[in-house]
Amino acid sequence: MSLDSNMSTKKQGLSSGLRRTLIASVVSIACGITPAVAQAAAADDFPNRPVRIITPANPGGTTDFLARLLAAHFTEAWKQPVIVDNRGSASGINAAEITKNSEPNGYTLFIVYHQHTVNAAIQPKLPYHAVNDFTPITQMTAAGTLLVVNPAHPAKNLKEFLEWTKTTKEPINFGSAGIGSGGHMAGELYKLMTGVKAQHIPYKGTGPAIVDLLANRYHFNFAGLTAAITQVQAGKLRAIAVSAAKRLQSLPDVPAVAEIIPGFEVVGWYGVMAPANLPKPLLTKIHAETNVLLKDPAFVKRMTSLGSEIVGNDPETFRKFMLADVSKWVDLVKRSGMKFN
């Protein structure tokens, strides 16, 4: 069901999904079947038709990559087609709204990433609550960003970089993949925690931002690991630090910013959610199968090589993590005076 048709149905009264749920409940009670038993039976039969995974990104990139790996795993495990539905617009808001308005029957899942909680801080009039209008299933991975500079930059390490940003007389500029991106928020947090003044230059994606840093058109970038590592390994950028709370297994020689700025942490993360009120038996089944993939040695090796670490937490832990993430970004926006208009 499309978003428009679903909203239209709601205006007319009860949604078709709610009607079916109520009818099924009445029939079940009449037959002496409790709702819990009915839900368990439905989970046993799930899925018996194609499943859709909505991703808030265009084809290519980490979000789409994870969605397709998960879809392939589910297809093999469940013997039903699992389709990736790319909805790469409006910083993931459209994808989230479509998910929120879908029926909580397991046939619509949502690959969510850190922009989802950032959106709650920078766009207070979202058409949904970033956590309460969804069913968190599990956080898949976590990774920091990589603070990189052009090789011509005078700072050779984190200590020198901090000193340079505090003492240089020239205006400082930092780039990012766009307003509200992980790199933007990391740069603003760095400014707030150090007292450094720097002008943000938003780009339309990581690619253009990296191209201009390679050309030395601005000073630094908290860039996505996948794109940045390639350039660092080629000697075209210099890695200064990671924004995760501690050093990454894939970059043991690159310090964490927190080593000299205690408490500094910006985590890029990815997870799986569903519409709110997903029945517990379905939640349990989907969570368990997702974690089969997260424990697969080949998957773990692939993600670790890209600078990510596997999480695979339970739904309640994931819910609390997202609530804390929202609070963190709301606080940053308030204290820094960031403007987005």
Side-chain angles (χ1 to χ4, degrees):
M1 179 182 291
S2 69
L3 175 59
D4 291 340
S5 62
N6 192 27
M7 294 298 289
S8 176
T9 303
K10 287 186 175 182
K11 290 179 181 178
Q12 296 172 8
L14 294 174
S15 69
S16 59
L18 183 54
R19 287 195 188 96
R20 287 197 293 271
T21 299
L22 290 174
I23 291 171
S25 296
V26 171
V27 172
S28 297
I29 292 171
C31 297
I33 302 174
T34 66
V37 172
Q39 289 178 359
D44 287 341
D45 190 45
F46 172 86
N48 54 29
R49 56 188 174 85
V51 174
R52 174 175 63 158
I53 298 179
I54 297 175
T55 174
N58 293 317
T62 304
T63 313
D64 179 67
F65 173 67
L66 284 173
R68 294 184 185 281
L69 285 178
L70 189 61
H73 174 75
F74 283 161
T75 296
E76 182 177 356
W78 291 336
K79 311 305 179 186
Q80 287 288 343
V82 180
I83 303 162
V84 174
D85 183 0
N86 294 94
R87 300 282 180 151
S89 61
S91 298
I93 295 173
N94 291 343
E97 189 171 14
I98 292 170
T99 303
K100 178 224 175 185
N101 290 308
S102 297
E103 295 181 25
N105 55 14
Y107 290 94
T108 297
L109 301 174
F110 180 35
I111 290 288
V112 63
Y113 73 117
H114 41 272
Q115 189 67 46
H116 184 74
T117 48
V118 170
N119 285 341
I122 68 177
Q123 301 198 44
K125 295 184 179 181
L126 288 175
Y128 52 80
H129 187 282
V131 182
N132 296 340
D133 282 335
F134 301 89
T135 299
I137 295 174
T138 191
Q139 181 183 345
M140 297 178 72
T141 64
T145 59
L146 187 62
L147 173 57
V148 288
V149 299
N150 187 282
H153 195 285
K156 301 295 191 293
N157 54 51
L158 179 57
K159 184 178 179 180
E160 290 182 3
F161 179 82
L162 176 61
E163 184 67 19
W164 178 85
T165 57
K166 286 189 173 184
T167 60
T168 185
K169 301 302 182 183
E170 63 178 302
I172 301 174
N173 299 310
F174 75 96
S176 82
I179 294 175
S181 65
H184 180 200
M185 305 306 274
E188 295 293 343
L189 183 61
Y190 180 84
K191 288 166 54 180
L192 183 66
M193 296 185 72
T194 61
V196 166
K197 295 186 182 298
Q199 179 64 43
H200 174 230
I201 303 176
Y203 286 83
K204 294 183 178 180
T206 299
I210 291 293
V211 167
D212 268 11
L213 186 58
L214 292 172
N216 206 20
R217 294 194 176 102
Y218 62 89
H219 296 107
F220 68 92
N221 189 327
F222 282 92
L225 278 161
T226 302
I229 286 176
T230 302
Q231 300 299 333
V232 169
Q233 291 173 338
K236 295 180 179 180
L237 290 178
R238 178 182 298 142
I240 298 294
V242 294
S243 67
K246 60 183 180 179
R247 299 188 185 205
L248 302 177
Q249 294 180 21
S250 57
L251 296 169
D253 296 328
V254 179
V257 177
E259 291 179 26
I260 64 170
I261 306 176
F264 186 97
E265 181 182 9
V266 177
V267 177
W269 56 268
Y270 296 84
V272 187
M273 297 203 298
N277 302 314
L278 182 70
K280 188 172 182 179
L282 281 173
L283 172 58
T284 299
K285 184 170 186 175
I286 297 170
H287 177 271
E289 197 56 58
T290 302
N291 274 275
V292 171
L293 172 64
L294 298 184
K295 294 176 182 178
D296 179 79
F299 178 84
V300 173
K301 183 178 180 180
R302 183 75 178 275
M303 299 313 299
T304 301
S305 71
L306 296 175
S308 295
E309 300 195 3
I310 306 302
V311 180
N313 51 14
D314 62 82
E316 181 60 16
T317 299
F318 186 28
R319 184 185 73 83
K320 290 179 179 178
F321 167 82
M322 285 192 290
L323 287 172
D325 214 39
V326 170
S327 296
K328 176 179 181 175
W329 299 130
V330 168
D331 180 65
L332 174 62
V333 169
K334 181 179 179 180
R335 292 171 60 199
S336 67
M338 296 168 66
K339 304 297 181 183
F340 301 98
N341 295 326

